Amino acid sequence: MATTMTLNPVQRRVQRVAEQMDAAGADVLLATSPSAIAYLADLNIRSFTAPGTVLVLGPGGNTTLLASEADQPKIAASGYRGLTDFWSLGQDAEERRESVLRMHLSGLPSSARVAAERGALREGAIAAEPILDAAMRIKDDDEIRRLRAAADLADIGYTAVVDRMTPELRVYEIVRNVDRSLRRAGGGEFWSPLEDAAGVTRAGYYPAGSIATLLGRHEETGVLDPSQPLPFALYPLSENYTGAAGTTIVFETPGPLLRSLADALSDATETALAAIRPGIRADEVFAIHRQALQGTVSPDRLDPIIGYSLGTGLGRPLLSATSEEVLEPGMALSVRTAITREQGPGIAFQTTVLVTETGNERLNIVPLRLIELH
Amino acid sequence: MTPALSTATPTVTLTAGAKMPLIGFGTHPLRGQEATDAILQALDLGYRSVDTATRYQNQDAVGAALRQTSIPREELFITTKLPPDAVGFERKTLEQSLEALGTDYVDLWLMHWPPGGSPGAGSWKEFIRAREEGLVRAIGVSNYQLRLLDALKRETGEYPEVAQLQWSPVYYSERYLTACRERGIVVGAHSPLRSARLEDPVLTEIARAHDATPTQVIIRWDVQHGVAVVPKSAHRERMLSNLDVMRFTLTEDEMKAIDGLSELE
Ligand SMILES: NC(=O)c1ccc[n+]([C@@H]2O[C@H](COP(=O)([O-])OP(=O)(O)OC[C@H]3O[C@@H](n4cnc5c(N)ncnc54)[C@H](OP(=O)(O)O)[C@@H]3O)[C@@H](O)[C@H]2O)c1
């Protein structure tokens, strides 16, 4: 179709969502998650001042962004081209938000069917998540380009952590080193897998709101303990697409138990990664991972999901015991494996892979093994 | 086409006998065809030393240039570096470097960063072994403080032959330079231009006096200090200009004035 040829990347994504809305019988979609809004409007609401932004995707692919007036300058500077409406600041901002939203919905024909994400769910609405998941499933060339750039940023963040790492560093210094080198490389924005309930792992983390994230720090002291492993991850954004990579540092030769756990997790992760190819079912990849760890570590120290669809945020859980989804070329996955330990932080590895025609391509250089810095 | 330089770049003889050109071509962050093209141009202009690293993900591109150039391998000086996350994987990483570069030895192998801020004596022993086996001609370190150089000597009996670090008039340290000289270590300068203040009036003034540019003055200053410098440029004119520094000499006063631009305490 001639029109398809002229669509820009965001219009193509909107069109994919519109097609899925048609299939689900929805006329309007209310998006509230950072991931969905980034997908539909190329806008990063993670850095917005006020919570509650809603993007209304209406018939014909038109979008209206409903946001706090506090975020008006950011939206103006973002290049967002759709319509906007703002609620004013103050004590009753929540009510005003609700009335702005209601006003927009009341303008729709009474027969209009609304799909909404959890954050904007209304009575009788269709769940928007499956619609968005289906649209986001296969990445187009522009999305793959952005994911590659985000993976490169994650790799730069990784080298910024590892090259300058010493046990004397403060946590904020690690975060600052990463921030500095990523800004130099053209990316200072971050996201977090914890934006989605499904993205939460057993490893607590600190600090929030930064590209570099140290994992398993249940009690944040601000300093490092050189006798403990240091699992960490990098979550940069590039043109609203997510990078996700991580691994685990040790400052001394690991003891036999830690070494054997880390080797087992590393091998099991590599084995699962090697299995990722078109035609394999997601639960099979998960089973391969679990199988490889059998007898080494008790399952209650492993996460129930080891791979998620990745795009403008962490998407649907893919590699789990219950996912029957068949992998296809063009899918992007964040593979994240971890072992928690009773005492202290555990071991974690994370990388981004792209399902290709023949297998998969790993987008990160981050080694998925213990990084010994001594 | 810019004419190639006729004046040869001076060299320094390292402890184990390798001859290192004092001006080399920096390759970060060039990758792929762009890197190969830039290196071929640099070689064409007269560069004989190329600085790469496992981390730069461009060793294959350097290798492609080495295959394409007609300059014999023994006239070239190739530096690569071991990333700090390769502790325990030193030999494997070196083999991967050699494979990507398409050569059976590198002229200089550096520890890119002190692993975890430690001297990295375990890796250093592997470096010494690699030199003994002829896989590398010289060994050194990068981004090491003086105390780490001494720790390596203490723990392994061997000093690095080269210590590369961020080095420019802004980062000049007489103490470091003198201590390295006393230990037979050649200082290498990375980011020589990027970490400098090119508009500093001291530099522009000296440059004017020699009908040169501030970048040329910095590179000449390095050479006169016996510091091996690796400027990077993706532009032919700049590559040539960065190499073309042997037609003038800085006076002792000028050298001192540039030393005085240091912002280190
Ligand atoms: N060991 C380490 O940890 C480490 C760290 C950093 C770098 N290095 C090595 O050192 C090399 C050099 O360092 P670097 O690349 O960071 O910085 P640099 O060589 O000091 O400066 C490179 C920058 O200066 C510009 N430039 C080059 N010649 C110029 C001239 N004559 N006039 C004006 N601008 C000029 C280049 O631009 P154009 O390219 O556009 O001309 C580029 O932007 C690297 O390539 C790498 O091989 C090692």
Side-chain angles (χ1 to χ4, degrees):
Chain A
M1 241 174 26
T3 50
T4 315
M5 303 292 288
T6 55
L7 294 182
N8 68 30
V10 69
Q11 287 168 334
R12 281 202 299 272
R13 302 200 299 263
V14 166
Q15 190 182 47
R16 283 203 289 273
V17 174
E19 283 163 10
Q20 294 300 330
M21 284 166 65
D22 274 352
D27 304 299
V28 175
L29 184 140
L30 305 184
T32 52
S33 66
S35 167
I37 294 178
Y39 191 81
L40 291 166
D42 245 339
L43 190 66
N44 179 19
I45 63 161
R46 296 173 181 93
S47 61
F48 275 20
T49 308
T53 305
V54 181
L55 186 90
V56 185
L57 174 59
N62 292 325
T63 58
T64 308
L65 191 69
L66 314 180
S68 159
E69 65 177 14
D71 292 305
Q72 203 164 357
K74 270 191 183 143
I75 294 164
S78 74
Y80 168 72
R81 295 267 168 271
L83 301 171
T84 46
D85 201 353
F86 298 98
W87 63 84
S88 46
L89 305 178
Q91 223 174 352
D92 50 357
E94 283 230 16
E95 286 86 68
R96 291 191 208 172
R97 170 186 182 264
E98 187 55 35
S99 76
V100 167
L101 183 54
R102 216 174 307 119
M103 197 188 78
H104 275 271
L105 294 177
S106 66
L108 297 170
S110 58
S111 60
R113 308 258 333 253
V114 176
E117 281 196 289
R118 277 187 281 272
L121 206 55
R122 345 224 16 110
E123 213 172 308
I126 304 167
E129 284 79 5
I131 294 172
L132 291 162
D133 284 345
M136 292 171 166
R137 198 164 166 268
I138 305 293
K139 271 60 192 177
D140 64 29
D141 288 349
D142 177 71
E143 293 182 280
I144 290 172
R145 179 187 62 76
R146 297 185 195 209
L147 282 167
R148 282 185 195 284
D152 281 348
L153 288 179
D155 285 341
I156 293 169
Y158 162 76
T159 60
V161 171
V162 166
D163 290 356
R164 293 173 184 279
M165 179 61 73
T166 76
E168 291 81 34
L169 283 186
R170 298 271 164 166
V171 168
Y172 79 85
E173 289 175 303
I174 299 170
V175 169
R176 190 194 58 189
N177 285 345
V178 170
D179 187 74
R180 198 168 34 201
S181 62
L182 261 70
R183 280 182 197 279
R184 218 182 279 145
E189 292 184 312
F190 57 84
W191 69 288
S192 165
L194 309 185
E195 286 161 10
D196 190 309
V200 176
T201 59
R202 288 191 168 85
Y205 86 118
Y206 174 95
S210 60
I211 298 165
T213 292
L214 306 187
L215 303 167
R217 296 180 68 78
H218 297 284
E219 195 187 331
E220 184 50 69
T221 55
V223 296
L224 306 182
D225 178 351
S227 69
Q228 293 291 335
L230 180 64
F232 67 100
L234 290 313
Y235 297 125
L237 283 177
S238 181
E239 293 180 71
N240 289 314
Y241 277 69
T242 50
T247 188
T248 304
I249 287 172
V250 287
F251 290 104
E252 39 193 57
T253 307
L257 179 62
L258 179 60
R259 165 90 71 198
S260 72
L261 282 177
D263 285 352
L265 185 66
S266 181
D267 291 349
T269 307
E270 293 291 349
T271 310
L273 283 166
I276 292 176
R277 61 174 186 276
I280 194 165
R281 256 173 42 174
D283 56 357
E284 292 178 68
V285 178
F286 182 81
I288 288 169
H289 177 72
R290 279 291 168 99
Q291 179 69 32
L293 284 168
Q294 210 163 27
T296 317
V297 55
S298 113
D300 63 356
R301 287 161 69 184
L302 300 169
D303 280 316
I305 302 163
I306 61 158
Y308 303 78
S309 173
L310 194 72
T312 46
L314 205 63
R316 176 178 32 177
L318 273 178
L319 306 183
S320 74
T322 55
S323 170
E324 295 181 356
E325 184 146 357
V326 175
L327 301 188
E328 277 181 56
M331 284 179 157
L333 278 83
S334 173
V335 174
R336 182 171 70 168
T337 61
I339 295 176
T340 51
R341 297 189 314 151
E342 270 149 40
Q343 299 286 307
I347 309 155
F349 302 125
Q350 185 162 17
T351 192
T352 301
V353 291
L354 196 64
V355 183
T356 61
E357 294 294 334
T358 52
N360 75 74
E361 182 189 345
R362 206 179 297 186
L363 301 189
N364 296 107
I365 58 158
V366 175
L368 305 178
R369 55 167 171 78
L370 271 193
I371 306 298
E372 296 188 36
L373 296 180
H374 54 79
Chain B
M1 268 275 215
T2 328
L5 273 190
S6 53
T7 331
T9 302
T11 58
V12 59
T13 303
L14 305 175
T15 314
K19 278 196 166 53
M20 180 185 195
L22 282 178
I23 305 173
F25 183 67
T27 62
H28 181 264
L30 300 167
R31 282 190 201 168
Q33 193 58 45
E34 194 196 2
T36 303
D37 291 347
I39 294 158
L40 284 170
Q41 283 201 35
L43 295 177
D44 184 42
L45 290 170
Y47 285 85
R48 290 297 175 265
S49 159
V50 177
D51 183 273
T52 179
T54 294
R55 265 292 154 68
Y56 302 167
Q57 296 176 63
N58 66 9
Q59 291 178 119
D60 53 344
V62 177
L66 295 186
R67 275 195 304 282
Q68 287 169 47
T69 180
S70 56
I71 301 165
R73 173 69 184 88
E74 58 275 16
E75 288 180 26
L76 299 173
F77 190 95
I78 309 300
T79 300
T80 193
K81 311 185 192 86
L82 179 86
D85 58 12
V87 172
F89 295 84
E90 295 85 357
R91 182 54 67 95
K92 189 174 162 207
T93 310
L94 176 59
E95 283 166 359
Q96 286 165 348
S97 290
L98 294 174
E99 163 105 38
L101 292 164
T103 175
D104 46 18
Y105 70 95
V106 289
D107 296 274
L108 175 60
W109 194 29
L110 301 177
M111 304 227 322
H112 205 149
W113 288 88
S118 78
S123 294
W124 190 239
K125 286 176 188 156
E126 290 298 321
F127 270 56
I128 296 168
R129 200 166 307 146
R131 187 178 58 189
E132 283 164 4
E133 291 175 27
L135 295 174
V136 308
R137 296 278 155 91
I139 54 177
V141 296
S142 175
N143 305 304
Y144 268 56
Q145 298 161 347
L146 281 176
R147 65 174 178 84
L148 294 177
L149 301 176
D150 287 336
L152 276 185
K153 167 76 171 169
R154 221 172 23 249
E155 293 181 37
T156 67
E158 293 265 2
Y159 273 123
E161 297 176 69
V162 173
Q164 190 187 71
L165 73 168
Q166 176 160 280
W167 186 269
S168 69
V170 170
Y171 287 89
Y172 172 75
S173 161
E174 189 177 343
R175 186 168 155 261
Y176 197 91
L177 189 59
T178 309
C180 282
R181 270 199 204 116
E182 285 166 3
R183 290 159 176 77
I185 302 169
V186 170
V187 171
H190 75 63
S191 314
L193 311 176
R194 213 155 53 87
S195 72
R197 298 192 195 287
L198 299 178
E199 273 94 52
D200 191 293
V202 171
L203 290 177
T204 51
E205 195 56 38
I206 294 173
R208 197 168 318 126
H210 293 282
D211 194 18
T213 63
T215 51
Q216 288 178 313
V217 168
I218 291 172
I219 294 165
R220 179 70 213 190
W221 167 79
D222 279 318
V223 170
Q224 283 184 221
H225 268 312
V227 167
V229 59
V230 287
K232 170 262 166 185
S233 175
H235 298 99
R236 192 177 170 93
E237 289 303 325
R238 288 175 173 181
M239 289 179 199
L240 180 65
S241 154
N242 294 344
L243 192 61
D244 182 20
V245 300
M246 299 313 293
R247 55 178 180 77
F248 65 95
T249 305
L250 301 172
T251 66
E252 220 167 283
D253 284 349
E254 287 169 336
M255 289 293 287
K256 282 224 168 61
I258 301 169
D259 294 352
L261 298 177
S262 174
E263 293 177 19
L264 303 181
E265 321 115 63

